[in-house]
Amino acid sequence: MTQVVLNNGDTAFMMLCTAMVCLMTPGLAFFYGGLARKRSILIIMMQSFISMGIVTLIWIFGGFGLAFGQDHGGIIGNIKDYFALANVDLNPNILHGATIPFALFFAFQLMFCVITVPLMTGAFAERLNIKGYLLLLIFWTILIYLPVCHWVWGNGFLEKMGFVDFAGGAVIHTTAGFGALASIFVLGNRTLKKKGMQPNNLMAAAIGTGLLWFGWFGFNSGGALGANYLASTAFINTIVGLASAMVTWMIFAYIQTGKINFLDILTGSVAGLATITPCSGYIKPTSAILVGIVAGIICNVAVKFRENRGWDDALDVWGVHGIGGFTGTILIGFFAASNVNKVSASMTQLGVQVGGVIFIALYSFILTYVMLRLFKRFFNIEPTNQEIDKGLDEYLLAEKAYME
């Protein structure tokens, strides 16, 4: 039987991991802000920062209970269990980190919830006003993130079926990526003089990427809930997946275009991280090389497919995060090693992974689509083309990132 004994080393490790994942949200803001057009930098960065406040309150007042409270029919947790921090104390919880304070588990999981909707913002850049984004942030978190989190990590029906996701490839990246795809279909394409989104500052994007790299070690390793062998495995797999995908993306880009852009390096690395995330605690580092190679190819193909279809996914959220997380979740069925974390590659495990991640993708896509359709019908959530051309920073915020 697992002993419930507070361990100082594990506690310090998880405090660090929580802080690292927290840093990823401003890192994402810099990444997207650097890639956005000059006139709309602040609005897309604000969408990341504001999530920390809004989502934290949701998490405190019912969200954590819905995700990790006592299971109801495999669908959702009990909202009363941890409402307003009730029963969230400094004692370990045998189900959620038997060697760390339960309040620390609460904080670590909160950081995952905080970053998920901001991941979507790169797809619908310049197509939601502040009201529209706040509506999406609140209702998407409650209706999509919290149930999916419970299904996979809170003793919900997918977890009971044997579906696994170590650090959020399905719970975070697949939901955000396919939700982002739905938002593109509902909100449509912008009227652009130039094709796509023209980055305003690749140096800012590089800083954001570096912060994401750093935070991702805590993102994946923290899934072990302690400083142990499993955390070390996830840590190594993270850097191996990143590097392998980056190089593969560079080679693939060079074969296609005859050159390698700086943006290819940044995007390829993030694709590798999104893909290695779900399997980082289930596979050996040698397998992580293959996962990175698959990520560098599949995500690149997805981005090209999106471009050919004319979908205005401004910062390629679906192709990088959605397809990356989706693919990595499936690859557990091919590469999982039982001596890493008690899950073995098999046709049975592969079937569970495929069925589970498809269900999650469809759930996120359909609900996001319906949600935004309703928002468009009853609320004014979209800026006009004139406002977009003028710049949403100036129009909505009365601010500018760069003073002329």
Side-chain angles (χ1 to χ4, degrees), residues 27-91:
L28 183 71
F30 270 95
F31 181 60
Y32 282 171
L35 297 179
R37 294 196 295 180
K38 187 176 180 180
R39 67 193 68 178
S40 300
I41 300 169
L42 297 181
I43 190 72
I44 197 169
M45 294 186 74
M46 188 192 77
Q47 289 170 346
S48 289
F49 277 89
I50 202 171
S51 179
M52 179 62 75
I54 302 295
V55 172
T56 296
L57 293 180
I58 294 173
W59 198 245
I60 292 171
F61 294 104
F64 185 55
L66 291 172
F68 291 100
Q70 184 178 359
D71 176 59
H72 287 295
I75 303 300
I76 200 69
N78 189 346
I79 193 172
K80 296 180 180 179
D81 283 353
Y82 308 116
F83 189 85
L85 300 179
N87 303 312
V88 179
D89 53 31
L90 298 179
N91 296 311

Side-chain angles (χ1 to χ4, degrees), residues 250-375:
M250 290 165 57
I251 295 172
F252 201 73
Y254 185 79
I255 292 173
Q256 290 181 311
T257 65
K259 62 181 179 180
I260 300 171
N261 293 326
F262 185 36
L263 188 55
D264 288 322
I265 297 172
L266 303 183
T267 307
S269 68
V270 174
L273 289 168
T275 308
I276 198 65
T277 289
C279 46
S280 59
Y282 295 105
I283 67 174
K284 296 179 179 179
T286 49
S287 298
I289 299 172
L290 300 176
V291 171
I293 292 172
V294 172
I297 296 173
I298 295 296
C299 293
N300 203 315
V301 169
V303 169
K304 299 302 178 186
F305 175 81
R306 188 276 303 170
E307 291 176 348
N308 292 335
R309 298 292 295 180
W311 300 340
D312 191 5
D313 184 350
L315 305 181
D316 284 312
V317 177
W318 174 74
V320 174
H321 294 280
I323 296 300
F326 186 93
T327 302
T329 303
I330 292 173
L331 291 178
I332 294 172
F334 287 101
F335 296 125
S338 59
N339 60 348
V340 174
N341 196 8
K342 302 178 182 179
V343 176
S344 299
S346 66
M347 289 304 297
T348 299
Q349 188 64 45
L350 178 61
V352 171
Q353 295 300 120
V354 171
V357 78
I358 289 176
F359 183 83
I360 289 171
L362 288 174
Y363 178 81
S364 181
F365 179 89
I366 293 170
L367 252 68
T368 305
Y369 187 92
V370 172
M371 199 181 300
L372 286 172
R373 280 290 183 193
L374 291 174
F375 293 164

